[in-house]
Amino acid sequence: MPKQLIVDGTPIEVEDGTTLMHACEMAGSVIPRFCYHERLSIAGNCRMCLVEVQGSPKPIASCAMLVNDLPPNKDGSPKIINTASPMVKKAREGVMEFLLINHPLDCPICDQGGECDLQDQAMAFGMGRSRYHENKRAVEEKHIGPLIKTMMTRCIHCTRCVRYMTEIAGVEELGLIGRGEDAEITTYLEHGIMSEMSANAVDLCPVGALTHRPWAFSARPWEMERVETIDVMDAVGSSIVADVRGATVMRILPRNNDAINEEWISDKTRHVSDGLKTQRLDQPYIKKNGRFEPATWDAALSLVAEKLKSTPPDKIGAIAGDLAGAEEILALKDLLARFGATSLDCRQAGDKLDPKLGRASYLFNSSIEGIEQADAILLIGANPRIEATVLNARIRKRWRTAPTKIAVVGPQVDLAYPYEYLGAGPETLADIASGKHSFAETLKAAVKPMVIVGQGAFARPDGLAVLSLAARILLAASEGKDASWNGFNVLHNAAARVAGLDLGFVPGKGGKDIAGILGPETQFLYLLGADECDLTRLDAKAFVVYQGTHGDKGAERADVILPGAAYTEKSATYVNTEGRAQQTVRAVFPPGSAKEDWTILRALSQRAGATLPYDNLKELRAAMYRVSPQLAALDTVETRAVSGLETLAKLSGQPSSEPFAPAIADFYLTNAIARASAVMAGMSALRASKNQKLNAAE
């Protein structure tokens, strides 16, 4: 039942279960805190949130007290809470004095300066002097990992980092040892933390004990401009902030979005920024006598246009890469259509996904936020910890907060939460689909069952048959239940994949898929940032155009290189795995003479005598919305009924008995930007050496 309180003279009514801290904030009062965090368990360590409660002989920690735990007044009147009384002020000043006893006076050199909660509260409650005259305590620095720089003398033992690693990341390797003055936060056996989300602990640290090692001593927060944009390192579409100084993206931080990433991002998303400025393509190149030579835009575009016009339509192919925006995908599709070419594909990994089967057949239909409603989850050929790190944290959150049965068919890996291992390949799926397997009953008993199909299952020759099996499993489990709940989910790895499928960047009538495009018959191949495909089967005489940002695998085989813009250098539309359209925002300009990708294709069309019908981004997007109206509804997820899976479920085909293979070999090196990053290269080498040591120990 509602509880009535009077906070600083303001009467309020709050629900039972509300913390005293939140009740005070609902009344408009500001409560300082260090240890409390909305997404972590309550510790009550710092005591900075003390408030005065009528009838209590001493101040109370408001973060750890629920309003329904307050003893009632004898006359039945509402409890009076004071957050700014002399008692509270004196108590908070005492806490602050205590916290600053051993804290070093190194604010001018601390990377947390300008973003330090302790610094801010010290200005409000610090006394300007200390009664402590003994020597300050010093603590040895800890090896927490290559991404986290430690200065543990600054630590105030709020334990946010410990709780985050244990509860959110699922890596129980960080803890507090000792008591009193000897208390220290350290890792298990002094081993570095190798979680894919470890660096989020830096954001949580309210002091300068944990800072970003790759970014150390590079810039100050107030020197940079904050640009809100979208991450493209995976298909989750996490909301991020790019901090820019001059023409450089200095760092990337998470932006709160409860529907997608909450306030977490992966370590790759955060620390890939150095890859944005290394190995960049900053001017056109033409290969002559086996060597690339700088060229003008006129020369490069004229050569490409000439080759395009002279090649028969059935010998032309195009592949859209994993980081391509929807605008350039549509522009390339429209350009090739004017030359009668139908061999185009955005499914770089060989995905057996077909837009003709309906949008529900290739999306994460339950939505990322919907994971928190599932009570039974079947993972098929997916390793979300590597393929969609933040999404995996959402699954772990569901496992922690509610009884959820999780099972895996595919590679047996560490997902940071327990699961039931059912088998390695399609044979197990067939047993579940036929009802022979015990987990079929588990799914049927679930109120909201969920099936997640990863790229390791659908990016293989029998991928469509596997998808059909998964659809049949879900339809059987959903029979007689809420029809609005669609638990069939496809987990993509590439940020560009869904937009490509929405826009129909797949083989047309008589066209070849990616396997055929990369065959010896292709004479003209256009790679739109495509670096993850095998180009060895191409004819040596095939003319290859690479339009992209880095000198990676695609550029090595190219005859002409056209420098494009990275995701932080253009306004582009990306659609995440759940079908949510989002737009990036230009944070910096492309380097050198590089240009936005759609403008390159527009200029090429003019040179080729087939001018595209849009002269600016607004006109291009209008054309894009006509092709795929879903892309116009930014930041929304449409509801797709489970009945939309019936066509997929009815497909014939027998999958092979081959077990599902991992879709990603190296988490840190999944795209051209990541492979250009020195930080990601170091993390990859470290992870490889650790795995070698583990294998040797086994």
Side-chain angles (χ1 to χ4, degrees):
M1 60 181 293
K3 189 86 170 181
Q4 292 184 340
L5 302 172
I6 298 176
V7 180
D8 294 334
T10 303
I12 62 168
E13 189 174 274
V14 297
E15 295 294 328
D16 275 353
T18 305
T19 64
L20 191 54
M21 173 188 286
H22 286 144
C24 294
E25 291 182 335
M26 289 168 65
S29 301
V30 178
I31 308 295
R33 81 290 300 264
F34 293 123
C35 69
Y36 179 81
H37 192 275
E38 291 80 359
R39 304 191 192 277
L40 304 176
S41 60
I42 295 173
N45 292 339
C46 72
R47 322 306 287 182
M48 198 65 199
C49 64
L50 295 172
V51 298
E52 181 184 1
V53 178
Q54 179 191 23
S56 177
K58 61 181 181 179
I60 290 176
S62 59
C63 71
M65 174 70 77
L66 302 180
V67 294
N68 43 301
D69 293 333
L70 293 172
N73 292 331
K74 293 182 179 180
D75 59 358
S77 61
K79 274 289 184 183
I80 298 176
I81 315 294
N82 291 313
T83 68
S85 65
M87 175 196 283
V88 173
K89 186 174 184 296
K90 183 179 179 181
R92 291 177 182 173
E93 287 177 350
V95 170
M96 181 57 62
E97 184 182 9
F98 179 74
L99 291 176
L100 293 177
I101 281 177
N102 288 307
H103 197 79
L105 302 177
D106 58 352
C107 294
I109 64 166
C110 179
D111 270 330
Q112 199 83 344
E115 297 174 325
C116 179
D117 294 340
L118 182 65
Q119 192 177 57
D120 295 340
Q121 298 303 329
M123 293 295 293
F125 299 100
M127 300 173 61
R129 59 184 176 83
S130 176
R131 291 168 287 180
Y132 185 84
H133 299 292
E134 289 77 9
N135 292 328
K136 289 180 178 285
R137 180 186 78 150
V139 183
E140 289 184 1
E141 307 311 334
K142 309 300 180 184
H143 177 61
I144 295 184
L147 301 179
I148 303 175
K149 180 179 175 65
T150 62
M151 184 67 73
M152 302 311 293
T153 302
R154 301 170 183 162
C155 180
I156 63 171
H157 300 159
C158 71
T159 67
R160 278 188 180 182
C161 56
V162 176
R163 285 174 283 149
Y164 165 77
M165 289 296 182
T166 304
E167 298 168 10
I168 308 299
V171 180
E172 298 181 355
E173 296 179 1
L174 192 66
L176 188 143
I177 61 173
R179 298 181 65 184
E181 190 178 70
D182 296 326
E184 296 181 16
I185 287 178
T186 184
T187 56
Y188 179 67
L189 297 179
E190 292 287 332
H191 286 176
I193 296 172
M194 292 300 295
S195 167
E196 295 79 14
M197 298 179 64
S198 64
N200 289 298
V202 176
D203 295 337
L204 295 174
C205 184
V207 298
L210 307 179
T211 55
H212 294 298
R213 188 179 295 277
W215 192 70
F217 310 120
S218 298
R220 293 294 193 185
W222 57 83
E223 297 176 338
M224 297 179 290
E225 180 185 355
R226 297 173 62 86
V227 180
E228 296 184 353
T229 184
I230 304 299
D231 172 54
V232 299
M233 291 297 108
D234 53 31
V236 176
S238 300
S239 297
I240 60 173
V241 172
D243 280 349
V244 178
R245 186 177 69 177
T248 305
V249 176
M250 300 298 296
R251 66 175 181 177
I252 294 173
L253 298 175
R255 179 161 54 91
N256 190 73
N257 189 334
D258 287 340
I260 303 176
N261 59 302
E262 297 184 302
E263 57 188 86
W264 321 121
I265 54 174
S266 71
D267 290 348
K268 180 168 58 177
T269 296
R270 185 185 296 270
H271 289 297
V272 80
S273 55
D274 66 318
L276 291 168
K277 53 190 177 187
T278 54
Q279 299 182 18
R280 288 299 302 270
L281 302 173
D282 57 359
Q283 67 180 51
Y285 291 91
I286 297 176
K287 185 177 287 183
K288 296 180 180 179
N289 300 322
R291 297 177 63 88
F292 285 111
E293 296 183 3
T296 63
W297 274 106
D298 287 340
L301 291 176
S302 297
L303 177 59
V304 175
E306 180 185 342
K307 292 289 185 179
L308 181 60
K309 290 190 292 184
S310 62
T311 306
D314 59 336
K315 304 294 184 181
I316 298 175
I319 302 172
D322 294 351
L323 305 182
E327 287 81 0
E328 52 259 34
I329 291 176
L330 178 67
L332 181 56
K333 179 188 176 186
D334 288 350
L335 174 62
L336 295 181
R338 292 178 176 307
F339 290 93
T342 57
S343 297
L344 51 153
D345 208 337
C346 64
R347 302 163 299 183
Q348 198 174 186
D351 309 350
K352 302 302 178 183
L353 301 169
D354 193 345
K356 295 178 182 178
L357 297 173
R359 211 165 182 240
S361 68
Y362 60 85
L363 290 182
F364 203 96
N365 296 289
S366 304
S367 79
I368 296 172
E369 199 172 17
I371 293 173
E372 298 186 25
Q373 302 178 42
D375 48 355
I377 302 175
L378 175 62
L379 296 169
I380 303 172
N383 181 359
R385 179 171 176 178
I386 301 298
E387 300 169 30
T389 306
V390 175
L391 185 144
N392 191 64
R394 187 83 70 155
I395 298 177
R396 175 175 169 80
K397 179 183 178 181
R398 177 59 180 172
W399 168 78
R400 285 183 59 245
T401 55
T404 307
K405 297 179 180 179
I406 305 173
V408 169
V409 177
Q412 196 167 1
V413 294
D414 182 8
L415 295 177
Y417 45 81
Y419 59 84
E420 181 183 353
Y421 185 69
L422 306 182
E427 293 178 347
T428 305
L429 286 186
D431 290 342
I432 299 174
S434 61
K436 297 178 182 178
H437 200 284
S438 59
F439 200 77
E441 295 301 320
T442 302
L443 291 171
K444 288 181 180 180
V447 178
K448 292 188 174 181
M450 178 180 286
V451 173
I452 301 177
V453 188
Q455 188 173 287
F458 60 77
R460 38 190 269 165
D462 60 348
L464 208 54
V466 174
L467 284 168
S468 182
L469 267 178
R472 289 204 292 272
I473 291 172
L474 191 281
L475 285 173
S478 302
E479 191 174 348
K481 299 174 183 175
D482 184 3
S484 64
W485 172 259
N486 188 342
F488 180 82
N489 301 293
V490 173
L491 181 60
H492 292 275
N493 297 340
R497 193 80 77 244
V498 175
L501 294 170
D502 283 344
L503 295 170
F505 201 90
V506 293
K509 187 177 180 179
K512 306 181 187 73
D513 62 5
I514 190 162
I517 293 172
L518 296 175
E521 295 181 359
T522 301
Q523 296 180 5
F524 179 98
L525 177 60
Y526 203 105
L527 299 176
L528 185 60
D531 295 288
E532 316 306 322
C533 48
D534 184 12
L535 302 173
T536 56
R537 292 178 52 242
L538 278 176
D539 190 316
K541 296 181 180 180
F543 187 83
V544 179
V545 180
Y546 179 78
Q547 179 179 328
T549 59
H550 288 73
D552 205 72
K553 301 175 183 178
E556 292 175 2
R557 175 60 181 84
D559 294 284
V560 175
I561 294 175
L562 305 176
Y567 68 104
T568 55
E569 299 161 0
K570 61 185 177 185
S571 176
T573 303
Y574 290 89
V575 186
N576 74 348
T577 191
E578 59 181 347
R580 184 189 302 269
Q582 303 178 103
Q583 289 180 356
T584 61
V585 177
R586 176 191 286 165
V588 295
F589 286 92
S593 59
K595 302 182 182 298
E596 288 194 40
D597 293 271
W598 79 268
T599 63
I600 297 173
L601 292 161
R602 172 62 173 78
L604 175 60
S605 71
Q606 190 171 3
R607 292 299 178 95
T611 306
L612 295 174
Y614 25 80
D615 299 325
N616 52 57
L617 190 58
K618 183 179 179 180
E619 293 178 358
L620 170 57
R621 283 178 173 163
M624 184 173 71
Y625 298 153
R626 287 193 294 270
V627 176
S628 181
Q630 303 95 332
L631 303 187
L634 295 176
D635 203 29
T636 59
V637 176
E638 64 177 8
T639 302
R640 293 168 292 274
V642 71
S643 58
L645 300 172
E646 292 176 354
T647 304
L648 176 63
K650 292 177 181 177
L651 292 179
S652 60
Q654 185 67 32
S656 70
S657 59
E658 185 179 349
F660 299 132
I664 294 178
D666 192 327
F667 168 73
Y668 298 102
L669 305 177
T670 54
N671 56 63
I673 300 175
R675 287 190 286 270
S677 167
V679 177
M680 294 297 103
M683 290 297 298
S684 175
L686 186 64
R687 175 62 63 87
S689 65
K690 184 178 180 180
N691 290 339
Q692 288 173 1
K693 291 179 181 177
L694 290 174
N695 293 334
E698 292 173 356

